[in-house]
Amino acid sequence: MDRHRSLRMTLLLAAGAAGCSSAKSRDIAVVTLAEPQATADDAGAADDPAAPAPRPQRSAGWMQEADGTVHRASTVRCDATIAQRACAGTERSFQCRTDADCTQGPRGKCVSSFGQIGPYCGCEYACETDAECGPSEVCVCKGTGALREEHSVCAKALCAVDADCPGSTCGLSAYFNGCWEQVTLACRTKDDACQSDADCASDANPGVACVVPDIEGESARWECAGISCAIGRPLVVEGAPRAAPRAPRDDWRAPAAPTELDVASLPPEVRERAAAHYAAVAALEHASIASFARFSLQLLALGAPAALVGEAHRAALDELEHARLAYDIASRLAGRAIGPGPLLEAATAPVGAGVAEVVEALVEEGCVGETLGAAEGRELSRIAADPALAAALERIAADEERHAALSWRALSWMLAAFGEPARAAAERAFSRAAARFAVDPAPGLLAHEALGLLPAHALGALRREVLAEVVAPCRAALPGLSRDNAPAAPSSSPRGAST
Ligand SMILES: [Fe+2]
Ligand SMILES: [Fe+2]
């Protein structure tokens, strides 16, 4: 059975074509994830592996214990070198042109990077001491523990050194959620959900680590967390998706769902991980409001038809409801109110209305991201056991399908209005997206089909299937666009999927 036929026909109509058959299977480039960085020499490999945690009494600076946890015994001077290549001036978008433009932090350097919007120039800031960082921040040295940042960075800190944590340690959390890295220092306590990565390891979720996923107000808790960043239309700033931190508030929850989530029957650990997943989903839906606000400004700047501008505004309101639904699910699972803190990037994100820039973001975030989001939402609503959860996921999937259709309509208009620059940008973006989804995502923090959480291998297979059977034929239906780099369809359906 061709289970993506309805979605394909909807999007083909949006793109201005109908009746196309699905794409043939093809080979595509395979991308691999970066290797984890090595532990810093000065992070202090444990002198005595048998030494008991949690409070070692030795040495200074960053300390790494035998169980892999990293904490700060005392302040230390960091290497403030930024080794990234300087901005060349040939990149596609620019937050800065020279180091003199980077004035928001210490030792600003304008470097060349590559993100979801292609090559760009952005400011990077490295620190040498805490004094160079803001209030409630400390300088985390390059290479410490699991830190992925390529240079020393200022990080939010609820403690600065072990002495701030009576009877415990001031731990370093470097949490990469699949979209961005959040670096935090916080005291470890006996009430934390985990004490080290070993407490989180399981065969089903090998990518999960013991980290601080979020700071709520002035408190933080160490929890098991993994890749939680969901697909959809992200707010991309300087090449990386941005989202608001969590805040303890209940005014961002949907008013009422048809039935109550049956959370009482779930083990506490499952509830906790599912709550963390849906809180991350909610934060990305919340960021999508800003993304559509920016998109509507870009459409106005490019002289788009009224219908497209109107649809972009309606889509922003849909995303607001998605955020409320997801915050409500997260709050019920957690047993406490969870909502968004300030999303500062909503005000500081550059609008950027160059044709190539807008087309590339439209293809990656809309034509690919929202199309995959619609298909994933349908699949998750089908497997979710709870009626309220299934209804929420179904509502989100229906909206995402409309958003995907808007993206294909907008791309069709931009190709007609701007010609070759738009066509070349679209080809580049489709190729990048195909490579990005060629491999399975890293494991999430929980695979639990009844709660609408697919395992990574099933998600990867579903995405490749949709890319081959929906995205590729829609792309080929647009004038001037090729079918190159269409991904291969998987040989089997994802677990739990209908056939
Ligand atoms: Fe959404
Ligand atoms: Fe959306």
Side-chain angles (χ1 to χ4, degrees):
M1 183 177 114
D2 182 359
R3 65 197 182 111
H4 301 301
R5 184 174 186 280
S6 169
L7 177 61
R8 183 171 62 250
M9 295 308 292
T10 299
L11 301 184
L12 280 168
L13 284 169
C20 298
S21 59
S22 62
K24 296 275 193 299
S25 299
R26 285 156 195 263
D27 294 330
I28 55 170
V30 173
V31 294
T32 52
L33 295 173
E35 290 294 323
Q37 293 193 355
T39 301
D41 291 337
D42 67 353
D47 303 320
D48 174 10
R55 190 59 192 273
Q57 301 288 329
R58 61 173 189 279
S59 196
W62 295 102
M63 307 293 299
Q64 184 162 29
E65 299 303 313
D67 61 4
T69 58
V70 173
H71 58 100
R72 197 159 87 146
S74 64
T75 56
V76 64
R77 191 172 290 273
C78 300
D79 174 3
T81 308
I82 297 177
Q84 288 162 270
R85 191 166 57 86
C87 175
T90 54
E91 292 79 359
R92 188 159 304 120
S93 42
F94 299 88
Q95 181 207 23
C96 56
R97 298 275 179 177
T98 70
D99 294 352
D101 297 332
C102 299
T103 58
Q104 302 298 309
R107 304 166 189 273
K109 187 174 176 186
C110 184
V111 303
S112 181
S113 301
F114 193 90
Q116 291 191 6
I117 56 171
Y120 70 95
C121 287
C123 292
E124 291 289 335
Y125 300 96
C127 51
E128 187 174 84
T129 66
D130 294 357
E132 293 179 331
C133 299
S136 304
E137 287 186 341
V138 303
C139 184
V140 179
C141 298
K142 170 185 174 181
T144 303
L147 187 73
R148 288 174 174 239
E149 290 279 2
E150 297 179 38
H151 50 78
S152 305
V153 291
C154 294
K156 174 89 173 165
L158 299 182
C159 56
V161 293
D162 290 345
D164 297 336
C165 306
S168 180
T169 57
C170 179
L172 171 68
S173 164
Y175 173 39
F176 180 70
N177 71 358
C179 288
W180 67 89
E181 182 174 42
Q182 180 174 302
V183 188
T184 310
L185 268 77
C187 294
R188 294 182 178 278
T189 77
K190 61 178 173 39
D191 296 328
D192 290 326
C194 54
Q195 297 297 326
S196 72
D197 292 349
D199 294 340
C200 307
S202 78
D203 291 343
N205 300 297
V208 176
C210 183
V211 293
V212 176
D214 261 305
I215 294 178
E216 295 185 30
E218 284 305 306
S219 65
R221 189 160 181 259
W222 291 80
E223 301 172 11
C224 295
I227 302 294
S228 60
C229 131
I231 204 160
R233 190 180 180 100
L235 174 66
V236 178
V237 181
E238 295 172 29
R242 309 301 168 115
R246 276 191 233 170
R249 60 192 291 183
D250 64 6
D251 57 340
W252 269 84
R253 295 176 62 174
T259 60
E260 286 292 316
L261 264 178
D262 181 19
V263 294
S265 63
L266 298 171
E269 182 186 298
V270 170
R271 280 179 61 172
E272 205 168 84
R273 292 186 181 192
H277 169 83
Y278 278 105
V281 169
L284 291 168
E285 298 282 10
H286 174 264
S288 293
I289 304 168
S291 179
F292 272 113
R294 182 168 63 175
F295 181 50
S296 63
L297 290 175
Q298 290 169 329
L299 287 173
L300 285 168
L302 291 167
L308 289 179
V309 177
E311 282 186 73
H313 278 80
R314 277 188 287 276
L317 290 175
D318 292 337
E319 301 295 4
L320 185 141
E321 284 309 309
H322 298 178
R324 298 180 74 205
L325 286 166
Y327 278 123
D328 186 62
I329 294 168
S331 299
R332 291 187 198 199
L333 286 162
R336 63 183 188 281
I338 297 176
L343 177 57
L344 298 176
E345 288 85 353
T348 57
V351 173
V355 168
E357 183 183 359
V358 173
V359 166
E360 291 196 30
L362 179 64
V363 167
E364 292 194 57
E365 298 164 18
C367 299
V368 176
E370 301 254 40
T371 299
L372 294 178
E376 285 177 27
R378 291 256 186 258
E379 179 63 14
L380 297 177
S381 69
R382 197 186 67 74
I383 63 172
D386 182 87
L389 180 59
L393 291 167
E394 176 65 30
R395 155 77 198 270
I396 290 174
D399 289 346
E400 299 299 0
E401 185 168 321
R402 266 206 325 283
H403 302 171
L406 162 62
S407 299
W408 287 98
R409 259 193 297 282
L411 179 59
S412 178
W413 170 73
M414 290 197 72
L415 290 169
F418 300 104
E420 179 54 26
R423 192 202 63 77
E427 293 281 19
R428 283 194 299 273
F430 274 120
S431 298
R432 265 205 311 277
R436 181 176 157 209
F437 292 108
V439 294
D440 290 345
L445 54 91
L446 179 68
H448 194 300
E449 294 190 0
L451 286 173
L453 294 159
L454 279 174
H457 68 87
L459 205 50
L462 176 63
R463 288 174 178 175
R464 286 189 288 278
E465 190 177 280
V466 174
L467 281 167
E469 296 182 8
V470 181
V471 173
C474 290
R475 170 187 179 182
L478 288 168
L481 292 189
S482 68
R483 287 186 177 215
D484 290 350
N485 294 306
S491 55
S492 60
S493 295
R495 189 159 61 92
S498 61
T499 53

